[in-house]
Amino acid sequence: MPDTLKDLEQKIRSFTPVSDSDMEFGLQFYKRKTFKKGQFLVQPGQYIRDFYFMKQGCVTFYTIEEGITRVMEFYTSGSFFTDLYPYIEEIQSESYLEITEDSIVYVISKLDALKVFDHSHALERFGRLSMQKAFINNFQRINRIKNLSNQERYLQLLEKRPSLFQRVPQYLIASYLGLTPVGLSKIRKRLSKK
Amino acid sequence: MPDTLKDLEQKIRSFTPVSDSDMEFGLQFYKRKTFKKGQFLVQPGQYIRDFYFMKQGCVTFYTIEEGITRVMEFYTSGSFFTDLYPYIEEIQSESYLEITEDSIVYVISKLDALKVFDHSHALERFGRLSMQKAFINNFQRINRIKNLSNQERYLQLLEKRPSLFQRVPQYLIASYLGLTPVGLSKIRKRLSKK
DNA sequence: GATTCTAATTAAACTAGTTTAATAAATATT
DNA sequence: AATATTTATTAAACTAGTTTAATTAGAATC
């Protein structure tokens, strides 16, 4: 087990206890890969074979429909991610996973991930708990979208993930917030006047 | 194992194979309960001890903030649900789970659910996969909220869950869609003119 | 350093929602 | 059946966003 996977190991153990032998079994399948800004992990039409852990960097998950880029999520250090629906259903992706900043990513194939879950009850539990956490995060995001104004959500993003604004152009953040670039610019102007 | 749990058993098996003995072990902890319209499974201030499966009926998951009712979800037949965040974190709920239609619910305590996951790798996998499905559903809901107009989302709800409109007053559906009752009424009027 | 290209802001006209209040239609109660 | 209560609609004024287009600012390239 290469030492570079220490942070992934820590992340897993933050969810549930895992024996050293199970951990070693699981981590052996992960490959460390580096990507340059502008590269794609996923493009429309592809089948999703892999599951990812972002060690360092940033990837943007988006679609383009009728020429409009729609950002669904930015994944940064410490996040697990993939294009989950096509990954599960083994259908073609309709999305992009584009590296937005030079990144180090740990990659495990779906086949290997299933082996890991088969082999270790503890790691299956980790899978359940990490999915549970992702569920809760999404649920809370829905509530923010429904219950807060766009201005409030902009301010909250600025507070909770300030580094995004260094990493990613503003029009992508606007899309993530469900706004046009013009709309976000107006909000910023309104706020700067106070 | 009482025969009344057949549909829960089927639901679980729709996710992953489970041996009869594991299934029997798991199902023994579920209690069948009936509730009348207007009863509450959860109210603000309570700790969440239980996880639920809706056999028949409807429950509305909402908060009241500054006098405004905000509907997060309607759970109907075949859904697993609870107020997950306080359930996990063992903090007080801030929400209501109100029975909106006479219902039959299967209930398992958190303690028993943990016993089940400890005892059976297969049922832990079921837990992972059901959570994964819930995650995907929420993710797709976020995308609908972000990418569709309110009118489109109203039409889609009408198409996908028509029975909701029989079960639940319109102002709660408006809230679920992130609209005021006035706003939803306007959309309906606009559509009826076509 | 000048040029080119991309991103962000601004302006103007527009739109789909909001709020508040009044009215109408259903539903529940006596 | 009559009354009270709750729910849904309508109207009017307002607002936070949109779209389109022009302008400015910032980055990258030659």
Side-chain angles (χ1 to χ4, degrees):
Chain A
M1 162 176 97
D3 181 63
T4 50
L5 296 174
K6 267 277 173 278
D7 31 20
L8 175 54
E9 181 179 347
Q10 288 225 318
K11 183 80 181 183
I12 293 171
R13 289 220 158 95
S14 77
F15 283 97
T16 191
V18 178
S19 71
D20 288 348
S21 79
D22 276 16
M23 184 62 79
E24 190 178 358
F25 182 85
L27 293 183
Q28 73 178 310
F29 296 104
Y30 281 88
K31 306 265 174 293
R32 181 183 187 278
K33 294 192 182 171
T34 60
F35 296 93
K36 291 275 174 202
K37 182 174 173 172
Q39 288 188 283
F40 290 91
L41 301 184
V42 167
Q43 285 187 284
Q46 291 181 353
Y47 293 90
I48 315 297
R49 294 176 215 88
D50 295 325
F51 204 96
Y52 304 96
F53 175 79
M54 177 63 74
K55 174 175 166 48
Q56 195 181 101
C58 183
V59 67
T60 303
F61 183 32
Y62 66 94
T63 57
I64 302 182
E65 288 163 46
E66 293 146 30
I68 297 162
T69 299
R70 299 185 187 276
V71 173
M72 298 179 280
E73 195 52 87
F74 303 108
Y75 297 105
T76 50
S77 311
S79 296
F80 293 101
F81 66 96
T82 189
D83 186 1
L84 193 61
Y85 187 68
Y87 173 88
I88 303 300
E89 301 292 339
E90 309 201 340
I91 58 176
Q92 293 178 1
S93 174
E94 298 175 351
S95 307
Y96 298 84
L97 276 169
E98 180 179 351
I99 298 289
T100 316
E101 184 184 274
D102 291 2
S103 297
I104 304 169
V105 178
Y106 301 150
V107 185
I108 186 171
S109 73
K110 182 174 178 177
L111 240 62
D112 288 340
L114 292 178
K115 269 188 228 164
V116 171
F117 288 138
D118 267 345
H119 180 268
S120 164
H121 188 158
L123 287 170
E124 182 101 43
R125 173 162 304 174
F126 151 72
R128 178 173 67 82
L129 295 174
S130 62
M131 203 50 79
Q132 188 175 74
K133 190 172 182 205
F135 169 84
I136 288 174
N137 286 344
N138 264 355
F139 200 84
Q140 292 177 337
R141 183 166 166 209
I142 291 176
N143 292 139
R144 281 197 300 275
I145 294 176
K146 283 184 52 198
N147 304 337
L148 302 182
S149 69
N150 289 321
Q151 178 171 313
E152 285 170 318
R153 290 193 306 118
Y154 166 71
L155 285 170
Q156 214 167 289
L157 190 66
L158 204 56
E159 193 199 321
K160 293 251 176 74
R161 304 182 69 180
S163 73
L164 270 189
F165 294 78
Q166 267 69 63
R167 300 172 157 195
V168 157
Q170 189 172 300
Y171 69 91
L172 291 181
I173 289 177
S175 168
Y176 174 71
L177 289 169
L179 294 166
T180 59
V182 177
L184 179 52
S185 186
K186 271 188 158 189
I187 288 172
R188 284 161 52 81
K189 177 146 200 213
R190 191 162 68 224
L191 287 165
S192 70
K193 280 186 184 158
K194 289 184 186 167
Chain B
M1 161 178 96
D3 180 63
T4 49
L5 295 176
K6 267 276 173 278
D7 32 19
L8 175 54
E9 180 179 349
Q10 288 225 318
K11 183 81 181 182
I12 293 171
R13 290 219 158 97
S14 77
F15 283 97
T16 191
V18 178
S19 73
D20 288 347
S21 79
D22 276 15
M23 184 61 80
E24 190 177 358
F25 182 86
L27 293 184
Q28 72 179 308
F29 296 104
Y30 281 89
K31 305 264 175 293
R32 180 183 187 280
K33 294 192 183 172
T34 61
F35 295 94
K36 292 273 174 203
K37 181 173 173 170
Q39 288 190 284
F40 290 91
L41 301 183
V42 166
Q43 284 187 283
Q46 292 181 352
Y47 293 90
I48 314 297
R49 293 177 215 87
D50 295 324
F51 204 96
Y52 304 96
F53 175 79
M54 177 63 72
K55 173 175 166 47
Q56 194 182 102
C58 183
V59 66
T60 303
F61 183 32
Y62 65 94
T63 58
I64 301 182
E65 289 163 45
E66 294 146 30
I68 297 162
T69 299
R70 298 185 187 277
V71 173
M72 298 179 280
E73 194 54 86
F74 303 106
Y75 297 105
T76 50
S77 310
S79 296
F80 294 101
F81 67 96
T82 189
D83 186 1
L84 193 61
Y85 186 68
Y87 173 88
I88 303 300
E89 300 293 339
E90 309 203 340
I91 59 176
Q92 293 178 2
S93 174
E94 298 175 351
S95 308
Y96 298 84
L97 275 170
E98 179 180 351
I99 298 288
T100 316
E101 184 184 275
D102 292 1
S103 297
I104 303 170
V105 178
Y106 301 150
V107 185
I108 185 172
S109 73
K110 183 174 179 178
L111 239 63
D112 289 340
L114 291 178
K115 268 187 227 164
V116 171
F117 288 138
D118 267 345
H119 180 268
S120 164
H121 188 157
L123 287 170
E124 182 101 44
R125 174 162 303 173
F126 151 71
R128 178 173 67 81
L129 295 175
S130 63
M131 203 50 80
Q132 188 176 75
K133 188 170 184 205
F135 170 85
I136 288 174
N137 285 344
N138 264 355
F139 200 84
Q140 292 177 337
R141 183 166 166 208
I142 291 175
N143 292 138
R144 280 196 299 275
I145 294 176
K146 284 184 52 200
N147 303 338
L148 301 183
S149 69
N150 289 320
Q151 178 172 313
E152 285 170 318
R153 289 194 306 118
Y154 165 71
L155 285 170
Q156 214 167 291
L157 191 66
L158 204 57
E159 193 199 321
K160 293 251 176 76
R161 304 181 69 180
S163 72
L164 270 189
F165 294 78
Q166 266 69 63
R167 301 173 155 192
V168 157
Q170 189 172 301
Y171 69 91
L172 291 181
I173 288 176
S175 168
Y176 174 71
L177 290 169
L179 294 166
T180 60
V182 177
L184 180 51
S185 186
K186 271 186 158 189
I187 288 172
R188 284 161 52 81
K189 177 147 200 212
R190 191 161 68 223
L191 287 166
S192 71
K193 280 183 183 159
K194 289 182 184 168

